[in-house]
Amino acid sequence: SSIFSDAGGFSWSTFRAPTAGRYRVRVKGYTIWVSGGGIDHWNYEGFGEAKTAYFYPTSRERPNIDEVWPGRRNEPIGVYAQSSGQSRPLGEFDFTPEPTVNELEVLLAANEVIQTDSMRLFRTRVNGSEEAYINPLAQDDGMPGVAFQWIEIEGPLANSDQGKGYRQLFGDLPLRRLSEGESGGVILQVPPRPGQAVGFGPRAARMQTVAVEVVSSRPREDAEHLLRDFMQRAYRAPVAETHIQRFLELFDQQMKLGHGFTQSLMASYTAVLSSPGFLYVQEEPGRLSDNALATRLALFLWNSPPDAELRAVASAGQLRNPAVLKAQTERLLNDQKSRRFIDAFTDYWLDLRKIDDTSPSTTLYNDYELDDPLKLAAMEETRLFVNELVRQDLPARNIIDSDFTFLNERLANHYAVPGVEGAKMRKVALPKNSVRGGLMTQASVLKVTANGTTTSPVVRGAWIMERILGFQAAPPPNVPSVEPDIRGAVTIRQQLEKHRADASCAACHRKIDPPGFALESFDVMGGWRDRYRAASEDAKPEPGVGLSGQRYMFHYALPVDAAGALPDGPSFQNVREFKQLMLQYREQTVAQNLVGQLLTFATGAPVGFKDRKSVDQILAGSRASGYGVRDLIHGIVQSDLFQIK
């Protein structure tokens, strides 16, 4: 058993994934309430086993570790894969006051370790010093915690694709194990018996290291057959005979050196995967061939080469048939691999790849410090939201405002949306007149458009102009930026008023600033605010304790003013009114920009003035669905902008 009343995360480092594959992770545990303690300063000290930790008060009696009661609520538990100091999320579930077994199937890379994390409980950076911490969740009679009873990891699991990789490389050729001292072959790690999974625990099966050789009675003929098939898939198109012979010569050279059939063929495969034909998309100018179109479509919607069915349709010369192309586009969008498109496109379009470029200030925003569960939920909200637009063919106007989003308990609390419990993300209907809805007021977007310490209407306004409306907003050279005053003496609006007094600056800022002003009611992590935060020695900090266990160091300064006016006249008082103006005046502009963003992502070529007619045709084809996002994707794939290099 392992009991935690803090949530720094625990790494089950006794287990390391022996090889890449799918694993089953089962965790048993429950929530607890630790008696006593109070809410004064809490210092870190370990008790008993290394996996047991408490935070106890320096000025009161320590908690009685024998007085551990059932928990008073569910606690979300995150599961991560950890390697070389880096963690990636695998899934989440909830511990309840009653012991439960929770199961996940996950993909692990070789040598990765499983880490579990009590996501709601406060975090600390314990360094062994006398530095005091405060548990913000502690009450006079104790504090919440969790108890991990055991973890069980099984894998790599057999599945319907078992052996598929071997068949792609060596077909139906048999495999034999080399005797001790016998040369050649390759080294593999395998379970001790065929199909036996490798588990975690004292009686678990262990991986074995063996030397094996692929058996071929006709090495040259088998190598040529296998290499031709491999290169056809790797090059995603018919392969010139000269290219095939070049890699066969490499096989012959390796065989003459005595490396054996397996090593020689693997050397040729490695050379193929290092060649330009595999590494680069090679498209001839003009209308794309069926094979080139298949590659472009698969890279667009799957972020991977075309599969066997798409290659077969292309090889038959049928893919450029509009009906066939539409059916294949639907098939790719309906496949689970289309989530790769969502992740890659939102990284590019919305800058989600920059989510970790900044961290919330430990002075002004230590209530967000170490809050990875909030950041991860914010990213997943945006990706699930965009996926829903595509899956349900929802109108592009939802980019501006929507009556739904995707939340879990942590993100719902951040948004002040009631009735959402647990770690699982789910579709949630937003309260009427909510400031949320659409992309612009999602926490992920609001974080990547802030620097962790301050927000700038200029930065956020330029982002909306470029990413949502499609207008470039590059600043003129040699013009210094306007930095918000973190002392709280003046607001950013007051500073910008002086900046805009210069006519050369005002021309751009009258377009850029209004969208940014509308978002000034959101802080660096997307939380709602009525006043700015500031830090100075002359003002008393706000009472409260951050998730890091440190008291707040900021005080509230001047009020936020989120009013503004669009360049063509209409004014707004807050973000709700700004959204309504955007829907009234900019709905088609938003759809047009989305088409441009998708086309640039799909083809690598920006949309220019000469492409305006084609873009208008794509929009016209989806106007009946309110510019449905799925319809827009179909229109793009069917267009000359997609099918011509």
Side-chain angles (χ1 to χ4, degrees), residues 422-545:
K424 184 177 179 60
M425 298 289 292
R426 81 292 307 259
K427 188 175 181 180
V428 175
L430 291 170
K432 188 177 180 180
N433 206 32
S434 171
V435 296
R436 307 296 172 173
L439 286 172
M440 295 185 299
T441 53
Q442 291 184 3
S444 63
V445 167
L446 294 163
K447 184 180 189 303
V448 299
T449 55
N451 64 15
T453 299
T454 57
T455 63
S456 169
V458 179
V459 174
R460 282 179 170 171
W463 189 93
I464 291 176
M465 293 291 289
E466 293 178 359
R467 305 309 172 92
I468 304 300
L469 298 177
F471 300 126
Q472 295 301 312
N478 303 320
V479 175
S481 60
V482 180
E483 298 295 337
D485 178 10
I486 63 172
R487 300 168 303 169
V490 293
T491 66
I492 182 65
R493 180 186 289 270
Q494 292 167 341
Q495 291 175 280
L496 283 171
E497 286 175 356
K498 295 181 179 180
H499 186 70
R500 293 170 68 176
D502 187 324
S504 62
C505 297
C508 288
H509 279 275
R510 64 186 300 268
K511 300 176 183 178
I512 296 172
D513 293 352
F517 284 139
L519 299 182
E520 275 296 274
S521 294
F522 301 95
D523 66 22
V524 299
M525 199 63 205
W528 181 264
R529 65 185 177 189
D530 295 309
R531 305 181 72 86
Y532 292 102
R533 292 185 180 185
S536 79
E537 298 178 355
D538 301 329
K540 183 179 179 181
E542 285 294 310
V545 180

Side-chain angles (χ1 to χ4, degrees), residues 243-303:
H243 289 186
I244 295 174
Q245 294 303 318
R246 180 181 305 148
F247 293 105
L248 276 173
E249 288 176 7
L250 176 60
F251 172 82
D252 294 337
Q253 292 172 2
Q254 296 293 307
M255 287 289 287
K256 289 179 181 179
L257 293 173
H259 292 165
F261 178 79
T262 309
Q263 284 193 28
S264 299
L265 192 53
M266 290 298 292
S268 299
Y269 287 156
T270 302
V272 170
L273 298 180
S274 302
S275 67
F278 172 75
L279 294 175
Y280 299 102
V281 177
Q282 298 177 325
E283 299 171 339
E284 296 294 330
R287 187 165 294 277
L288 299 179
S289 67
D290 284 75
N291 286 300
L293 182 59
T295 295
R296 179 173 280 194
L297 183 64
L299 292 177
F300 176 30
L301 298 180
W302 277 1
N303 204 24

Side-chain angles (χ1 to χ4, degrees), residues 222-506:
D222 285 336
E224 180 173 354
H225 166 72
L226 292 169
L227 195 55
R228 285 181 182 276
D229 180 67
F230 182 83
M231 291 186 67
Q232 182 86 6
R233 287 181 278 116
Y235 278 33
R236 308 171 293 274
V239 185
E241 185 65 25
T242 54
H243 289 186
I244 295 174
Q245 294 303 318
R246 180 181 305 148
F247 293 105
L248 276 173
E249 288 176 7
L250 176 60
F251 172 82
D252 294 337
Q253 292 172 2
Q254 296 293 307
M255 287 289 287
K256 289 179 181 179
L257 293 173
H259 292 165
F261 178 79
T262 309
Q263 284 193 28
S264 299
L265 192 53
M266 290 298 292
S268 299
Y269 287 156
T270 302
V272 170
L273 298 180
S274 302
S275 67
F278 172 75
L279 294 175
Y280 299 102
V281 177
Q282 298 177 325
E283 299 171 339
E284 296 294 330
R287 187 165 294 277
L288 299 179
S289 67
D290 284 75
N291 286 300
L293 182 59
T295 295
R296 179 173 280 194
L297 183 64
L299 292 177
F300 176 30
L301 298 180
W302 277 1
N303 204 24
S304 70
D307 64 351
E309 179 176 336
L310 192 54
R311 291 199 311 271
V313 171
S315 297
Q318 300 175 350
L319 190 57
R320 285 186 290 180
N321 180 309
V324 174
L325 182 58
K326 182 175 182 179
Q328 287 298 314
T329 303
E330 275 292 300
R331 183 177 72 86
L332 267 62
L333 285 173
N334 290 332
D335 194 279
Q336 290 183 348
K337 290 192 284 289
S338 65
R339 175 59 193 255
R340 302 173 189 169
F341 155 64
I342 298 297
D343 291 354
F345 180 58
T346 51
D347 276 353
Y348 152 75
W349 174 34
L350 303 174
D351 285 331
L352 290 197
R353 65 190 184 279
K354 298 180 180 179
I355 195 78
D356 286 320
D357 282 6
T358 62
S359 297
S361 166
T362 57
T363 301
L364 294 176
Y365 292 101
N366 70 320
D367 45 342
Y368 296 140
E369 188 181 4
L370 304 176
D371 199 350
D372 283 345
L374 175 59
K375 178 195 71 176
L376 293 172
M379 291 179 64
E380 189 67 3
E381 175 196 18
T382 301
R383 286 174 171 158
L384 290 173
F385 182 84
V386 174
N387 185 67
E388 185 76 353
L389 299 186
V390 175
R391 190 175 67 88
Q392 297 290 351
D393 193 28
L394 297 179
R397 71 191 308 274
N398 285 276
I399 292 172
I400 299 300
D401 198 15
S402 64
D403 59 3
F404 73 93
T405 191
F406 288 81
L407 304 173
N408 64 3
E409 182 176 356
R410 177 67 191 94
L411 191 56
N413 289 339
H414 187 57
Y415 289 174
V417 175
V420 181
E421 297 181 355
K424 184 177 179 60
M425 298 289 292
R426 81 292 307 259
K427 188 175 181 180
V428 175
L430 291 170
K432 188 177 180 180
N433 206 32
S434 171
V435 296
R436 307 296 172 173
L439 286 172
M440 295 185 299
T441 53
Q442 291 184 3
S444 63
V445 167
L446 294 163
K447 184 180 189 303
V448 299
T449 55
N451 64 15
T453 299
T454 57
T455 63
S456 169
V458 179
V459 174
R460 282 179 170 171
W463 189 93
I464 291 176
M465 293 291 289
E466 293 178 359
R467 305 309 172 92
I468 304 300
L469 298 177
F471 300 126
Q472 295 301 312
N478 303 320
V479 175
S481 60
V482 180
E483 298 295 337
D485 178 10
I486 63 172
R487 300 168 303 169
V490 293
T491 66
I492 182 65
R493 180 186 289 270
Q494 292 167 341
Q495 291 175 280
L496 283 171
E497 286 175 356
K498 295 181 179 180
H499 186 70
R500 293 170 68 176
D502 187 324
S504 62
C505 297

Side-chain angles (χ1 to χ4, degrees), residues 2-4 6-13 25-29 51 76-82 87-93 95 102 104 106 113-121 123 146-153 200 373:
S2 308
I3 299 176
F4 289 89
D6 71 302
F10 182 76
S11 181
W12 304 86
S13 54
V25 179
R26 303 175 74 236
V27 184
K28 185 176 183 181
K51 289 178 286 186
I77 307 296
V79 181
Y80 303 82
Q82 189 179 49
S87 295
R88 61 183 181 88
L90 299 175
E92 65 283 318
F93 50 79
F95 273 176
N102 299 273
L104 298 172
V106 301
V113 171
I114 293 294
Q115 183 182 47
T116 51
D117 174 22
S118 309
M119 299 166 72
R120 188 182 75 97
L121 307 187
R123 286 144 169 75
V146 295
F148 291 91
Q149 293 179 281
W150 50 257
I151 184 170
E152 179 181 272
I153 306 168
F200 171 48

